[in-house]
Amino acid sequence: MKVLVINCGSSSLKYQVLDMTDETLLAKGLVERIGMDGSVINHTKTGQDKIVTEVPMKDHKDAIAQVLAAVQDKNHGVVKNMDEIGAVGHRVVHAGEMYAESVLITESVIQALEDCIELAPLHNPPNLLGIAACKELMPKIPMVAVFDTAFHQTMPPQSYLYALPYEYYEKYRVRRYGFHGTSHKYVAQKAAQMMSVNINDLKLITCHLGNGASVTAIKHGRVVDTSMGFTPLEGLVMGTRSGDLDPAIVNYIKEKEGLTDSQVNDVLNKKSGVLGISGVSSDFRDLETAVNDGNERAALALRIFAQKVRFYIGAYIAEMNGVDAIIFTAGVGENDISMREIICTDLGNLGIKLDPIKNKVRGHETKISTDDSKVQLLLIPTNEELMIARDTYSIARKNAR
């Protein structure tokens, strides 16, 4: 079965086509500037050069239509017609407490996702637009929703509840949800394979470190805690997000600066993090360049980021009463050699020893701990699209029986 994976943003769309008989990537692409001037589709068939086509796309339906045309193109397509596509998997950011696993999309599922819009106002609407467009253009092909939040639904109440009046949870669903779940799930399963141990026998800490970043504690295959919360703003210091913050600071800055609610939210989400500390950039590569040029604030931003990752690693080791492996993934986790080294420095008393030679690698699945380290350190490139395709393939097959 061939599976089409769709990941819709507000003005962009990423896609992949995979052959699930052997999980081969057949093609991938990116549609940009949907609903704007200069909209373009970047399409790459595996083994060929990227094809860039500028074409007007007024909405997500137009964008999906261009994707379908690209994957069926005689020269750089991967299917003769859409009958070869057995299912479509959609990345959906938020399912609230509705779903703890991926599901076949039905009208009731769509209604549930609409009910969760207030929890993810920037993400769920474009996700729903992508689903609607696919259903209209491919009405006979089964659709599956794969949720960022689902993997974290195994957290116990003591991990997901905030110390607020309980009625706010009952009335408004205010709780920790966690995000990046598809990535954490993928690398946790891959870690178990690399270690040749059943995931149900492992205690793992997965570090998804990128411009958005989160750390998750996985005990015996189930998430017991994660750093992101009600929104992706909580937790680690990130590229532009503040991470954990004394809530009193929000009103204090708001009053001092004369900001509106929208403006202070913009500060916390788009002007803080390592960008806010350094004043240089949210890109860790730019920060390292600045550090090499003697920029002390850039160096401070990197130290603060690393300290926060270490803080969560230590907390989760205590919460799980130990850890078997720590996994680094996503843009920074996979590629930033020096950041991994900074994070792992001075963790020897916890049985964590980074091998500086093995650590000199980028984007390659490998073990980077010393042979005598009690805790394995693993570098595992994430593959959220493959995880989405796996869930989609499994659910579509069950539905076809």
Side-chain angles (χ1 to χ4, degrees):
M1 180 190 293
K2 294 183 178 70
V3 169
L4 171 63
V5 174
I6 298 289
N7 181 354
C8 278
S10 57
S11 61
S12 65
L13 183 161
K14 292 191 292 186
Y15 66 91
Q16 289 191 4
V17 180
L18 299 99
D19 185 339
M20 296 309 294
T21 56
D22 56 3
E23 298 188 342
T24 301
L25 174 65
L26 302 177
K28 63 180 180 179
L30 171 66
V31 181
E32 299 178 282
R33 300 181 64 81
I34 299 171
M36 305 162 65
D37 291 338
S39 50
V40 63
I41 178 170
N42 304 270
H43 176 84
T44 305
K45 179 180 179 179
T46 300
Q48 294 185 1
D49 293 334
K50 179 169 67 175
I51 305 295
V52 181
T53 307
E54 185 171 332
V55 58
M57 288 176 268
K58 65 179 183 295
D59 54 27
H60 285 74
K61 181 181 176 182
D62 285 350
I64 296 291
Q66 290 300 322
V67 170
L68 301 188
V71 302
Q72 296 176 88
D73 184 86
K74 289 184 178 180
N75 297 316
H76 52 263
V78 292
V79 297
K80 293 180 180 179
N81 55 63
M82 292 310 295
D83 290 339
E84 293 184 39
I85 299 293
V88 179
H90 293 267
R91 181 222 179 191
V92 180
V93 168
H94 217 306
E97 295 181 313
M98 305 286 188
Y99 302 106
E101 57 187 15
S102 304
V103 295
L104 189 72
I105 296 175
T106 62
E107 289 305 315
S108 62
V109 171
I110 291 173
Q111 182 60 56
L113 299 184
E114 290 175 349
D115 292 342
C116 288
I117 285 177
E118 64 179 359
L119 298 176
L122 298 179
H123 297 94
N124 271 29
N127 296 161
L128 284 162
L129 286 173
I131 291 170
C134 285
K135 284 177 67 67
E136 184 174 345
L137 294 170
M138 298 173 277
K140 295 181 180 179
I141 297 177
M143 310 272 168
V144 172
V146 181
F147 309 105
D148 274 11
T149 53
F151 187 51
H152 301 300
Q153 286 300 299
T154 56
M155 282 191 292
Q158 62 266 31
S159 294
Y160 69 70
L161 282 177
Y162 293 109
L164 294 168
Y166 194 77
E167 64 191 81
Y168 296 157
Y169 167 63
E170 293 179 307
K171 292 195 299 184
Y172 310 122
R173 296 174 289 176
V174 176
R175 53 156 287 177
R176 176 176 285 106
Y177 289 102
F179 299 88
H180 297 144
T182 306
S183 175
H184 288 292
K185 181 179 180 180
Y186 174 81
V187 298
Q189 291 181 353
K190 179 61 71 172
Q193 292 176 11
M194 290 175 66
M195 298 170 72
S196 299
V197 180
N198 190 306
I199 194 170
N200 295 327
D201 296 324
L202 290 171
K203 297 175 184 177
L204 304 171
I205 295 175
T206 51
C207 303
H208 178 106
L209 307 180
N211 200 272
S214 60
V215 180
T216 294
I218 304 166
K219 185 176 183 179
H220 305 154
R222 296 167 63 86
V223 173
V224 295
D225 215 336
T226 192
S227 60
M228 281 183 167
F230 181 66
T231 73
L233 184 59
E234 186 182 359
L236 301 177
V237 171
M238 302 177 223
T240 62
R241 296 177 187 142
S242 65
D244 294 335
L245 197 70
D246 181 340
I249 293 173
V250 178
N251 275 337
Y252 183 79
I253 296 298
K254 181 180 174 182
E255 292 175 3
K256 288 291 185 181
E257 293 287 315
L259 302 177
T260 64
D261 290 340
S262 177
Q263 287 172 326
V264 76
N265 191 56
D266 192 61
V267 169
L268 296 175
N269 279 283
K270 298 180 181 179
K271 299 179 180 179
S272 299
V274 295
L275 169 63
I277 297 164
S278 69
V280 173
S281 175
S282 63
D283 191 310
F284 284 69
R285 294 166 295 186
D286 295 339
L287 295 181
E288 290 189 0
T289 298
V291 170
N292 292 333
D293 292 336
N295 189 308
E296 294 184 2
R297 278 175 53 188
L300 176 62
L302 294 178
R303 289 199 303 272
I304 291 173
F305 177 84
Q307 189 274 341
K308 202 64 176 180
V309 176
R310 278 200 305 271
F311 174 87
Y312 274 99
I313 288 173
Y316 291 161
I317 290 173
E319 188 169 353
M320 295 191 295
N321 190 26
V323 64
D324 297 301
I326 298 170
I327 300 100
F328 292 97
T329 193
V332 174
E334 295 170 22
N335 299 294
D336 197 325
I337 295 169
S338 62
M339 179 52 67
R340 293 194 301 264
E341 187 170 353
I342 297 169
I343 290 169
C344 295
T345 297
D346 297 330
L347 294 179
N349 283 343
L350 297 175
I352 300 167
K353 296 181 181 180
L354 179 75
D355 188 317
I357 303 302
K358 293 179 182 178
N359 186 47
K360 290 182 179 180
V361 62
R362 291 184 172 89
H364 179 65
E365 184 181 296
T366 188
K367 177 182 173 182
I368 56 175
S369 50
T370 61
D371 292 339
D372 64 342
S373 179
K374 293 180 180 179
V375 177
Q376 291 197 36
L377 298 171
L378 304 175
L379 191 164
I380 302 177
T382 192
N383 194 333
E384 294 171 277
E385 288 79 12
L386 177 55
M387 194 74 252
I388 292 170
R390 285 175 177 171
D391 281 8
T392 300
Y393 175 59
S394 175
I395 292 171
R397 287 185 67 195
K398 288 179 183 177
N399 185 62
R401 291 172 185 169

